[in-house]
Amino acid sequence: MRMYDLIMKKRNGFALSGDEINYMVKGYTDGTIPDYQMSAMMMAIYFKGMDEKETLALTMAMEKSGDELDLSRIKGIKVDKHSTGGVGDKTSLALAPMAAAAGIPVAKMSGRGLGHTGGTIDKLESFPGFSTDISTEKFVENVNRIGIAIMGQTASLAPADKKLYALRDVTATVDNMSLIASSIMSKKLAAGADAIVLDVKTGSGAFMKREEDAFALAREMVKIGNGAGRKTSAIVSDMDQPLGFAIGNALEVEEAINTLKGNGPDDFLELCLTLGSRMLIAGGRADGEKEARQMLLQTIEEGTALKKLAEFVEAQGGDASAVYDTSLLPRASLQRSLYARTEGFVSHIACDEVGICSLLLGGGRETKESRIDLSVGIVLQKKVGDYVKENECLAVLYANDADKLSAAENRLQKAFQIGQEKLEKKPFIKGIIT
Ligand code: URA
């Protein structure tokens, strides 16, 4: 086989066979196929697309390009959850303890944030001492003992995707549905869960700005997951404004804790219940949505999810006292309110701009090497559709640097639009694909 022939075949619009895809992925991973040939292939795929069979073959070739996590020593049906990412997306922090308290073993690999969307690991490091740098043995032991463990994504997991994603990033070939779906799913499959629940975001703060693209990606990933023998479902949820009210690492942890105490924002709680229900059904703990939601709500009412979060933090070396007293979480030294300049209804909050404001305050990474400030961020006081009086507070900014605070404040003011008409609330959950 020659890479040249495969590039030509795809360029001319033909489907690649499973063997050809395996050859290409293996060669690119071990360095025998150079970047320039793979770039040409990615561009050919970008223009000519891949059918369902090719997409599944690419996903599985990337899944098998490195280590695969063996979760067979964990008892029960392991259900993983993945979000395509967004602003204020703290879902795992509340959902993992809720699902674990309802009897689903949560064995999760998570990442750090880059750019204006945060990562679960960064957020969890708001608990002093918490570490995701644990051995596979400890990971398995913790899930069996307390029901949850989260570890950082190792470099040996789907290395083909790691290399290919970096190449696509600099050759304008990221935004192809089959390539995105296979990239995400290769990592999920290698992470070893029996079932996968996906949260595909749509809106101004999401990767998929248009709802129809989010649905297409969700359908593609569900097909891949089921095709690979893992029970997979997806929901499409709104990311046209930040999720909940808090944006920023420790602030999001606090909001997740408050949610487990029964004081969570409506949209965030709804997302946890919708995703959690899919997890409980996939894991055989509930027969239907109604029963699953009831079980999840019970974990909040009875305090079992909060207790589970504390056990999990402690088991990974963290100080869990902040679970019961959130004033112990990292706190910023400066605080400033942003006020409405006119009266009316909030008609739009530019979601990605709010994420960038949090990044400017120091809460996100500009580059992989950046150090982040866990204490800074924004807490919205108003969301889309809310009525606001002139000079009423729209959001509170938290910072440790006065210059950064002023820069973020100016930008945040422009992210809010206020109109005179009351908008009809759009559904937060756009659909479920099973
Ligand atoms: N996230 C991924 O992991 N891969 C993509 O291709 C796009 C988003």
Side-chain angles (χ1 to χ4, degrees):
M1 236 179 261
R2 288 198 320 149
M3 187 62 178
Y4 177 92
D5 298 331
L6 303 191
I7 296 168
M8 176 107 86
K9 189 172 176 185
K10 184 43 78 184
R11 189 202 70 184
N12 292 342
F14 295 100
L16 300 173
S17 71
D19 283 348
E20 287 167 338
I21 289 173
N22 284 339
Y23 165 83
M24 160 179 112
V25 170
K26 188 170 175 302
Y28 188 56
T29 312
D30 68 22
T32 49
I33 292 174
D35 278 348
Y36 52 83
Q37 283 192 309
M38 201 51 151
S39 308
M41 176 59 92
M42 288 298 110
M43 195 55 88
I45 291 174
Y46 181 87
F47 282 113
K48 299 292 177 181
M50 284 198 305
D51 65 22
E52 233 173 81
K53 245 172 108 183
E54 289 175 284
T55 308
L56 180 59
L58 176 62
T59 310
M60 294 186 72
M62 293 199 294
E63 173 205 349
K64 293 182 189 324
S65 64
D67 294 342
E68 289 179 77
L69 217 57
D70 176 11
L71 302 183
S72 60
R73 283 178 295 138
I74 296 174
K75 298 173 220 112
I77 302 173
K78 280 75 68 185
V79 189
D80 199 358
K81 167 248 153 198
H82 176 79
S83 155
T84 56
V87 178
D89 188 1
K90 63 216 53 102
T91 310
S92 295
L93 303 177
L95 179 57
M98 285 166 74
I104 294 288
V106 179
K108 201 167 164 39
M109 275 205 171
S110 287
R112 292 189 181 277
L114 183 62
H116 68 277
T117 61
T120 302
I121 296 183
D122 298 317
K123 293 172 196 181
L124 281 167
E125 285 176 354
S126 301
F127 296 103
F130 183 92
S131 170
T132 50
D133 190 12
I134 54 175
S135 66
T136 312
E137 279 63 41
K138 181 97 183 140
F139 181 72
V140 168
E141 183 203 312
N142 283 4
V143 182
N144 279 332
R145 189 165 57 84
I146 58 165
I148 319 185
I150 295 185
M151 69 194 279
Q153 203 162 298
T154 59
S156 56
L157 190 98
D161 172 65
K162 200 164 193 233
K163 207 170 162 191
L164 207 50
Y165 193 16
L167 183 77
R168 287 166 53 216
D169 209 21
V170 291
T171 54
T173 51
V174 168
D175 52 339
N176 169 277
M177 209 64 82
S178 298
L179 293 178
I180 297 172
S182 57
S183 164
I184 294 174
M185 291 305 287
S186 64
K187 289 172 280 212
K188 287 287 112 185
L189 296 179
D194 305 306
I196 301 162
V197 177
L198 301 160
D199 177 14
V200 180
K201 307 282 194 193
T202 182
S204 65
F207 202 53
M208 294 288 147
K209 307 281 180 222
R210 297 180 332 157
E211 217 171 294
E212 59 262 43
D213 292 338
F215 272 98
L217 178 63
R219 278 193 290 268
E220 187 111 25
M221 292 198 290
V222 168
K223 267 191 232 152
I224 295 173
N226 288 319
R230 317 285 175 96
K231 204 182 221 178
T232 307
S233 62
I235 73 158
V236 174
S237 70
D238 184 74
M239 190 37 78
D240 209 32
Q241 61 176 329
L243 179 62
F245 294 100
I247 304 102
N249 298 280
L251 294 168
E252 292 185 39
V253 169
E254 183 170 6
E255 186 161 81
I257 291 172
N258 287 339
T259 303
L260 297 183
K261 289 178 179 168
N263 306 315
D266 292 347
D267 58 351
F268 181 54
L269 179 63
E270 180 56 29
L271 184 64
C272 291
L273 293 175
T274 308
L275 288 168
S277 298
R278 307 300 338 152
M279 291 174 76
L280 263 58
I281 294 167
R285 288 273 156 187
D287 289 329
E289 177 98 19
K290 199 166 161 220
E291 185 192 0
R293 285 174 85 94
Q294 193 49 42
M295 286 170 74
L296 292 162
L297 282 170
Q298 219 169 330
T299 70
I300 295 178
E301 283 155 16
E302 293 176 355
T304 51
L306 192 71
K307 187 162 168 269
K308 197 52 78 186
L309 176 65
E311 283 171 3
F312 154 63
V313 169
E314 223 164 78
Q316 295 199 206
D319 177 359
S321 13
V323 170
Y324 299 104
D325 178 3
T326 53
S327 70
L328 300 172
L329 288 167
R331 295 267 150 182
S333 56
L334 306 170
Q335 183 175 328
R336 191 176 297 167
S337 296
L338 179 85
Y339 298 105
R341 289 182 175 158
T342 53
E343 180 186 354
F345 294 94
V346 177
S347 57
H348 181 65
I349 302 174
C351 191
D352 43 0
E353 279 296 305
V354 180
I356 292 168
C357 290
S358 175
L359 178 94
L360 291 177
L361 290 167
R365 278 189 191 82
E366 302 267 8
T367 68
K368 274 190 220 157
E369 288 72 36
S370 315
R371 273 181 69 85
I372 59 173
D373 184 340
L374 294 168
S375 67
V376 302
I378 295 154
V379 178
L380 303 178
Q381 305 296 307
K382 298 285 175 186
K383 300 241 327 195
V384 172
D386 286 348
Y387 172 73
V388 57
K389 286 191 243 156
E390 190 178 342
N391 287 327
E392 201 180 341
C393 183
L394 292 171
V396 180
L397 297 98
Y398 295 85
N400 286 312
D401 178 309
D403 291 340
K404 288 181 181 173
L405 179 57
S406 297
E409 182 190 12
N410 287 335
R411 199 152 174 167
L412 191 61
Q413 188 86 52
K414 296 190 193 107
F416 276 87
Q417 277 174 23
I418 295 172
Q420 294 316 305
E421 272 170 47
K422 183 165 171 55
L423 296 174
E424 238 177 71
K425 272 212 159 80
K426 286 191 264 171
F428 174 71
I429 305 290
K430 312 285 183 191
I432 299 176
I433 295 130
T434 53

